[in-house]
Amino acid sequence: MISLIPLTPNDDSTLESIHVACLPNSWSQTAFKELLNEQHTFGWMALSQEEGPVGFILARVLRREAEILTFAVFPSFQRKGIGRSLLSKLFAHLASIRCLTVFLEVAENNEHAYKLYQSFGFTQVGTRPDYYQQEDKSFISARVMMGHIRLK
């Protein structure tokens, strides 16, 4: 069973460890601490009863627009609905605060994430060339995607 809990500044080291396991150029504990202390930054952590923290989503809102800053699920827990649950929680929160639009970047070779975002209605609105550095030090472009929030 997975539960979703709000992120706090004390989650900085946990977010860093998940990020390191999921992304070649992960963010530091300090970066997470600074983001989590910002007024308009928020998110949720996915907790497994058996394994503890297994993923998170971190976003920022400014007026009626949001941006998913980063989003990661441990590889062994991917494609089990955890990412979908985190995105659903984010969308519900954004609707509750009457946020209309959400943006994100996704590596052009991350087809699983791309399809997940499409299933939430995201569409590609641009490209950021050579945006992500790979483990082999080469670069890959990012798809800039935009989603619309249905207000209740």
Side-chain angles (χ1 to χ4, degrees), residues 6-146:
L7 293 173
T8 73
N10 294 331
D11 294 321
D12 57 345
S13 64
T14 302
L15 300 187
E16 180 191 32
S17 68
I18 295 170
H19 223 240
V20 165
C22 298
L23 301 165
N25 286 306
S26 59
W27 297 357
S28 69
Q29 182 177 345
T30 302
F32 281 112
K33 174 79 80 185
E34 289 172 0
L35 283 168
L36 290 166
N37 278 306
E38 288 182 7
Q39 180 181 359
H40 302 288
T41 302
F42 57 91
W44 291 269
M45 185 179 310
L47 294 175
S48 162
Q49 284 183 328
E50 302 80 26
E51 304 288 330
V54 297
F56 70 90
I57 192 165
L58 184 64
R60 176 173 32 218
V61 170
L62 184 59
R63 294 187 176 86
R64 301 269 188 239
E65 258 185 33
E67 177 185 12
I68 297 174
L69 300 171
T70 189
F71 179 21
V73 175
F74 276 131
S76 61
F77 284 86
Q78 291 176 4
R79 288 179 277 293
K80 295 183 179 183
I82 297 168
R84 182 170 298 283
S85 294
L86 286 163
L87 271 174
S88 293
K89 183 77 168 176
L90 175 67
F91 268 52
H93 176 72
L94 294 176
S96 77
I97 62 171
R98 308 200 55 77
C99 182
L100 304 173
T101 316
V102 60
F103 291 89
L104 61 83
E105 290 94 11
V106 61
E108 67 182 2
N109 66 347
N110 191 342
E111 284 303 314
H112 291 291
Y114 182 68
K115 288 178 182 175
L116 174 63
Y117 300 138
Q118 283 184 312
S119 76
F120 274 78
F122 281 88
T123 56
Q124 185 171 342
V125 294
T127 303
R128 294 187 192 273
D130 299 331
Y131 190 71
Y132 293 111
Q133 189 172 17
Q134 303 293 300
E135 288 182 53
D136 67 2
K137 305 298 182 199
S138 66
F139 286 86
I140 190 165
S141 296
R143 296 171 174 163
V144 179
M145 301 188 78
M146 179 177 70

